[in-house]
Amino acid sequence: SCKNSLKLFFLSRNIKCLIFFSLCLGLVFLSGFFHMKNRNNVILESHEELLPCRAKTNVMFLKTHKTASSTILNIMFRFAERYNLTVALPANELVHLGYPKTFLAQFVEEFQTIGQNYNIMCNHLRFNLLEVQKVMAANTFYFSILRNPIPLLESSYVYYKDDVPAFKISKDVNEYLASPTKYYRPADYKQNMYARNIMWFDFGYDNNAEDNKKYIQMVLKEIEQNFHLILIADYFDESMILLKHTLCWDLDDVIYFKLNSRSQDTVQILTPESKERVKVWCSLDWELYLHFNQSFWRRIEETIGLKELENEVNHLRRRQKMLMEICLLNQEAVGKDHINNKALLPYQSGAANILGYNLKQDLDNRTLKTCQKMVMPELQYMSYLYAVQHPNKKRKQLGLP
């Protein structure tokens, strides 16, 4: 009886040990299973991060005025050539897509034939989403660029001095801003849009609208819905890096030489009072700029990060400097009177002296072509692409060399 009790005790103890051992083994197995599961997730995430993204090739750029947008147009044209893409170019004798009229699909050359098969749209137009959607594919990426309205208005004043009624009859930009209603007539909006809230106008809205908080918020929300990205001209290199990341383009796709800039001697210095008056006179543009300047930096912090941004901007500038050393005779832009090849002379407007470039003479053919495209002014490049895309059409008469 005592022996049997002892046997039962050891048997019970062994069973308990066996159960305990099995439980431990099970926990070890489960631990290993979850460890492997997590490890696989990490590998998967890392693998996804390492996968190259696919470059976006259906892109609509709303080209706003006096915002470094001519430089972006050159970037877009070069990208279109590199990938043999179709550009939505102005029809017939047009040099812009109907501007300042609100955009219609019929302003695009051969729209009736080509339909929604254009890849790139980037010439000046006054934005009209429904009509743009008739031309561009459903998966098109929309972006634009804004600039601080204070330097923008000064630039606009000098550039359009001879064309805008409100500018013509004022002595200088400070006199104009001292009493803009003395010179500005809202009814002449097709000539005067450059004189007030020009960016608001380019986005398709009434640049003479009342500064109403509810209305402004409605417009800002609508622009956010229509555009995937808004860049800031005051931070142009940072904008190019953000554009590169967002479109999954190469660095060389966003390398640029600054185009359509003017000589410093044509810049009019705004008084402190004039700067404050711009914020009031162009209050719609001011609100537009403040809103998207904030979202621009928020987007950078959420995607690239400020440290990586700094590294990539430096890389862009080194690459740009290298290309300038390869391509340019003077390694900088020169005044209109010093441009040797008149075929590369930019369109001159108002009181501005629009700068251009001289290329080195001893470049091989391949390098020469690359350099020529980088310095080619907007109208000449548009005319060239038009001749390539529509060889059976009459060439555009630009009145330029």
Side-chain angles (χ1 to χ4, degrees):
S1 171
C2 190
K3 245 182 203 181
N4 288 338
S5 296
L6 202 59
K7 278 181 183 177
L8 284 170
F9 170 75
F10 280 113
L11 184 63
S12 166
R13 189 177 170 191
N14 287 341
I15 289 169
K16 285 177 181 175
C17 286
L18 188 64
I19 291 169
F20 178 72
F21 177 74
S22 298
L23 283 169
C24 288
L25 193 65
L27 286 170
V28 169
F29 173 77
L30 285 171
S31 168
F33 171 75
F34 284 118
H35 175 71
M36 285 300 293
K37 192 168 185 290
N38 288 336
R39 187 167 172 267
N40 286 338
N41 279 345
V42 169
I43 290 169
L44 182 64
E45 286 166 8
S46 300
H47 180 60
E48 284 175 345
E49 285 170 7
L50 291 172
L51 281 175
C53 55
R54 190 173 180 178
K56 290 179 173 64
T57 53
N58 291 335
V59 183
M60 190 276 168
F61 169 58
L62 175 61
K63 188 178 187 296
T64 48
H65 285 81
K66 312 314 299 169
T67 57
S69 60
S70 292
T71 302
I72 296 182
L73 180 134
N74 180 274
I75 286 169
M76 301 296 291
F77 280 168
R78 284 188 283 119
F79 184 82
E81 279 204 274
R82 179 180 176 183
Y83 291 99
N84 196 27
L85 304 175
T86 305
V87 183
L89 295 168
N92 304 317
E93 300 300 316
L94 294 175
V95 293
H96 300 314
L97 293 169
Y99 195 91
K101 295 176 183 175
T102 301
F103 176 75
L104 297 173
Q106 69 194 43
F107 296 151
V108 174
E109 187 64 76
E110 291 193 0
F111 161 68
Q112 301 297 343
T113 308
I114 298 174
Q116 252 186 330
N117 293 315
Y118 295 93
N119 305 111
I120 302 291
M121 177 182 274
C122 54
N123 286 87
H124 272 310
L125 59 82
R126 190 177 183 206
F127 192 67
N128 180 356
L129 179 63
L130 294 178
E131 288 292 310
V132 171
Q133 287 174 334
K134 292 179 183 178
V135 177
M136 302 302 291
N139 67 344
T140 295
F141 182 91
Y142 290 75
F143 81 102
S144 189
I145 188 165
L146 300 173
R147 183 185 181 187
N148 186 323
I150 296 170
L152 185 150
L153 186 69
E154 183 277 329
S155 176
S156 188
Y157 185 93
V158 174
Y159 194 82
Y160 296 109
K161 174 68 173 168
D162 298 338
D163 302 312
V164 174
F167 293 160
K168 268 184 185 180
I169 53 177
S170 54
K171 185 182 72 175
D172 57 37
V173 68
N174 290 303
E175 183 181 280
Y176 171 71
L177 286 167
S179 184
T181 53
K182 181 179 170 184
Y183 308 102
Y184 183 89
R185 298 287 178 269
D188 299 333
Y189 80 94
K190 285 190 177 179
Q191 290 80 39
N192 271 337
M193 69 275 183
Y194 301 110
R196 188 184 194 192
N197 294 315
I198 179 58
M199 295 186 293
W200 199 266
F201 183 87
D202 287 346
F203 274 87
Y205 301 102
D206 179 5
N207 61 321
N208 293 308
E210 187 183 344
D211 186 343
N212 176 285
K213 190 174 181 181
K214 189 176 179 182
Y215 166 68
I216 290 171
Q217 289 305 312
M218 182 272 290
V219 169
L220 294 177
K221 187 176 180 182
E222 195 167 88
I223 292 172
E224 283 181 335
Q225 289 170 346
N226 293 339
F227 289 83
H228 300 96
L229 180 66
I230 303 291
L231 303 176
I232 301 296
D234 310 80
Y235 307 100
F236 194 81
D237 288 348
E238 292 83 355
S239 289
M240 291 305 96
I241 297 302
L242 182 57
L243 184 69
K244 176 182 84 75
H245 276 265
T246 311
L247 294 179
C248 193
W249 287 8
D250 296 335
L251 180 67
D252 273 7
D253 291 328
V254 297
I255 289 288
Y256 68 92
F257 296 161
K258 192 175 181 181
L259 298 179
N260 213 39
S261 60
R262 61 192 162 121
S263 58
Q264 276 300 116
D265 62 328
T266 65
V267 175
Q268 296 186 15
I269 306 301
L270 289 167
T271 65
E273 293 79 16
S274 289
K275 290 178 181 179
E276 292 306 310
R277 285 168 185 152
V278 173
K279 297 177 187 178
V280 178
W281 176 241
C282 298
S283 60
L284 302 176
D285 270 3
W286 184 248
E287 291 296 332
L288 185 68
Y289 174 76
L290 290 179
H291 178 84
F292 285 104
N293 185 42
Q294 285 185 337
S295 67
F296 171 80
W297 289 107
R298 189 163 60 243
R299 180 83 166 257
I300 283 174
E301 286 176 353
E302 290 170 356
T303 54
I304 305 169
L306 294 175
K307 185 65 181 172
E308 178 60 23
L309 176 73
E310 185 183 358
N311 292 336
E312 293 199 39
V313 163
N314 290 334
H315 187 194
L316 181 145
R317 287 172 180 167
R318 285 194 300 271
R319 176 69 175 144
Q320 182 189 55
K321 186 174 184 290
M322 186 183 82
L323 285 172
M324 291 182 92
E325 288 171 356
I326 291 170
C327 293
L328 303 181
L329 188 63
N330 313 90
Q331 292 187 37
E332 62 180 4
V334 297
K336 60 185 178 183
D337 297 329
H338 300 284
I339 297 169
N340 299 328
N341 183 354
K342 297 307 177 187
L344 296 176
L345 179 71
Y347 175 73
Q348 302 293 318
S349 177
N353 178 359
I354 305 302
L355 306 178
Y357 295 94
N358 289 318
L359 298 178
K360 287 183 176 176
Q361 299 298 307
D362 56 347
L363 302 173
D364 63 80
N365 284 342
R366 187 162 174 256
T367 306
L368 178 62
K369 280 187 177 182
T370 301
C371 296
Q372 281 177 334
K373 297 295 169 61
M374 290 198 70
V375 302
M376 194 177 289
E378 176 181 335
L379 291 175
Q380 285 94 317
Y381 211 149
M382 182 272 296
S383 177
Y384 161 75
L385 283 182
Y386 185 88
V388 171
Q389 276 190 198
H390 309 289
N392 299 321
K393 296 277 183 180
K394 184 182 176 185
R395 293 195 70 159
K396 290 187 183 289
Q397 301 302 309
L398 302 175
L400 292 167

